[in-house]
Amino acid sequence: MSKFWSSLAKQVEPYIPGEQINDDTIIKLNTNENPYPPSKQVIRAIDEASKNLRLYPSPTVDELRSEIGNINELSKDHIFIGNGSDEVLAFSFMAFFEPGKRIKYPEITYSFYPVYAKLFNISSEQIMLNDDYTIPIERFYDSDGGVIFPNPNAPTGIYLELEAIKQILENNPSHVVIIDEAYIDFAKESAVSLVEAFPNLLIIQTMSKSRSLAGLRIGFAIGSPELINGLERIKNSFNSYTVDRLAIAGAIEAIRDNDYFQQTTTKIIESRTYLKNQLEARHFDILPSQANFLLISHKEVNAESLYQELKKQGILVRYFQKPGLENFLRISIGTPEQIEKLLEKIDHIIKPSP
Ligand code: PMP
């Protein structure tokens, strides 16, 4: 605590991101990054854009909005761009959730939601998941101030069908329902087809996972022009240029190179199935993930010590010291080579030589 801090700075409880280690020898499976590099087209576009760094970027980001609109069969006034989806989430809390009115989100979910709720003084009801870690749909009906959850949920990876999302939207007609689709490209289908029918639906996606651009920081929202205007009002009261020239140029090419996107996404989905089968053969319990990670536990192996042991052996996975998650590890899907290394180390750790 410092006497110079405002009461807000004193009260906030900042989010703690996964460890970022600058060591190429470490196999990093702890923050759900894509194990494959971005498309070569992206790198060329960033190089080209660097010639104009003297100039401010576009404050309206129209070209990227149109590209994202095109692949979703929507006009650019349905699209909002931000500096990573975390920023889009923060703006959405400010634009659509009201202090004093309770929002609903799952008890086990992305841990940035409680941080934003506290920062913006928004109260919340944390809904317990079902015993099988699925989302109890009816409990998200009739919220007082809005709803937010990821689909697939994080860190469970469990996907919710569009029919269920539709029910939640229909039962919250006067409030915004935010579906955080950070991992949707590894799952069955996006809720974007519901946008035209539901003016209260805001979808948030990111280029950090499926487009291999976590370092570039581009996230976006898809929703009715009414909601997008609300986000623009907040953004333009905060910073006119939240996304830089290099990021805009790279993101446009990441969307255009659909072949590369399809290839890398398919490989990750195949590797997810492979890793799941391999871990199940070693008696791990694995939630049915449609994301680029698995949430795993083992009846006879302590999750925290496995995390520590793997770390000692050069493999970083995510351990959450949080109620309900103490027995789990979250493992991001790596390349086939990284997965073999992981399995080798796990075998070494859980099957000590006789
Ligand atoms: N939502 C969820 C559910 C996430 O797991 C993440 C990644 N930590 C984000 C949003 C934020 O991603 P980014 O800011 O990189 O777009």
Side-chain angles (χ1 to χ4, degrees):
M1 284 291 172
S2 156
K3 66 176 181 183
F4 298 118
W5 293 356
S6 68
S7 49
L8 178 64
K10 284 180 190 146
Q11 276 160 30
V12 290
E13 284 166 22
Y15 174 75
I16 303 164
E19 296 156 272
Q20 295 298 345
I21 289 181
N22 241 348
D23 178 350
D24 284 346
T25 63
I26 297 266
I27 296 181
K28 209 175 158 299
L29 303 176
N30 68 330
T31 45
N32 300 339
E33 286 135 336
N34 199 303
Y36 300 106
S39 149
K40 290 202 175 72
Q41 274 175 234
V42 169
I43 308 303
R44 276 198 294 273
I46 291 176
D47 199 33
E48 192 55 35
S50 68
K51 294 177 187 152
N52 279 327
L53 281 177
R54 188 178 66 77
L55 301 171
Y56 280 109
S58 160
T60 51
V61 207
D62 289 326
E63 202 182 346
L64 177 57
R65 289 167 69 201
S66 296
E67 288 291 337
I68 294 172
N70 283 345
I71 59 167
N72 290 290
E73 293 171 14
L74 291 167
S75 63
K76 73 172 165 47
D77 44 311
H78 292 78
I79 314 293
F80 174 84
I81 310 288
N83 193 318
S85 58
D86 281 339
E87 185 185 79
V88 182
L89 285 164
F91 289 168
S92 303
F93 269 66
M94 275 194 269
F96 309 121
F97 296 159
E98 199 74 63
K101 300 223 171 135
R102 287 216 299 178
I103 59 163
K104 297 187 188 212
Y105 54 79
E107 196 209 5
I108 293 180
T109 197
Y110 185 34
S111 28
F112 230 132
Y113 305 157
V115 174
Y116 291 135
K118 181 118 198 206
L119 176 64
F120 302 123
N121 199 18
I122 291 156
S123 52
S124 55
E125 184 185 355
Q126 305 193 9
I127 311 281
M128 293 273 285
L129 296 180
N130 295 320
D131 288 346
D132 61 358
Y133 295 94
T134 55
I135 284 187
I137 303 154
E138 290 84 8
R139 298 212 49 211
F140 285 86
Y141 293 177
D142 306 318
S143 78
D144 194 24
V147 168
I148 180 164
F149 60 86
N151 193 34
N153 195 9
T156 64
I158 295 178
Y159 174 78
L160 190 64
E161 294 288 340
L162 289 202
E163 197 43 50
I165 291 180
K166 221 166 142 180
Q167 306 272 331
I168 293 172
L169 286 161
E170 277 166 359
N171 285 284
N172 283 284
S174 308
H175 293 110
V176 175
V177 174
I178 302 177
I179 311 290
D180 176 353
E181 292 192 336
Y183 302 100
I184 197 67
D185 293 325
F186 308 103
K188 186 174 161 190
E189 60 181 326
S190 163
V192 73
S193 59
L194 303 177
V195 160
E196 302 232 76
F198 291 95
N200 58 332
L201 168 61
L202 190 78
I203 292 174
I204 299 183
Q205 295 187 0
T206 178
M207 301 226 170
S208 297
K209 318 292 179 181
S210 57
R211 308 265 171 185
S212 305
L213 291 173
L216 204 68
R217 314 304 301 130
I218 291 281
F220 53 95
I222 310 175
S224 58
E226 193 185 341
L227 296 187
I228 298 305
N229 273 332
L231 286 170
E232 291 288 348
R233 287 173 67 83
I234 297 290
K235 185 211 109 175
N236 290 320
S237 308
F238 175 80
N239 177 358
S240 313
Y241 309 106
T242 53
V243 287
D244 65 68
R245 267 183 181 276
L246 307 185
I248 296 171
I252 289 172
E253 288 309 312
I255 297 286
R256 287 186 183 152
D257 197 349
N258 185 52
D259 286 350
Y260 185 77
F261 163 72
Q262 296 293 349
Q263 281 162 26
T264 47
T265 309
T266 305
K267 280 200 277 191
I268 290 166
I269 293 171
E270 284 169 4
S271 298
R272 179 178 73 204
T273 306
Y274 175 78
L275 179 60
K276 179 171 187 281
N277 292 340
Q278 289 294 318
L279 290 172
E280 275 173 353
R282 289 157 173 86
H283 308 292
F284 281 89
D285 292 315
I286 299 163
L287 295 187
S289 169
Q290 290 203 28
N292 66 340
F293 55 82
L294 296 177
L295 193 67
I296 72 165
S297 62
H298 195 298
K299 285 187 189 63
E300 282 135 44
V301 181
N302 177 278
E304 189 173 9
S305 29
L306 180 57
Y307 156 76
Q308 296 290 4
E309 279 304 313
L310 283 169
K311 192 172 172 182
K312 272 189 216 150
Q313 308 213 15
I315 299 188
L316 207 52
V317 299
R318 188 82 186 257
Y319 176 68
F320 300 92
Q321 228 147 10
K322 276 203 311 202
L325 290 173
E326 304 92 338
N327 297 325
F328 289 98
L329 290 183
R330 191 194 66 192
I331 303 185
S332 310
I333 305 300
T335 60
E337 298 73 33
Q338 290 175 327
I339 290 175
E340 288 313 322
K341 279 258 167 58
L342 169 75
L343 292 168
E344 199 184 291
K345 302 288 182 197
I346 287 180
D347 284 341
H348 184 73
I349 297 164
I350 69 175
K351 278 195 226 145
S353 43

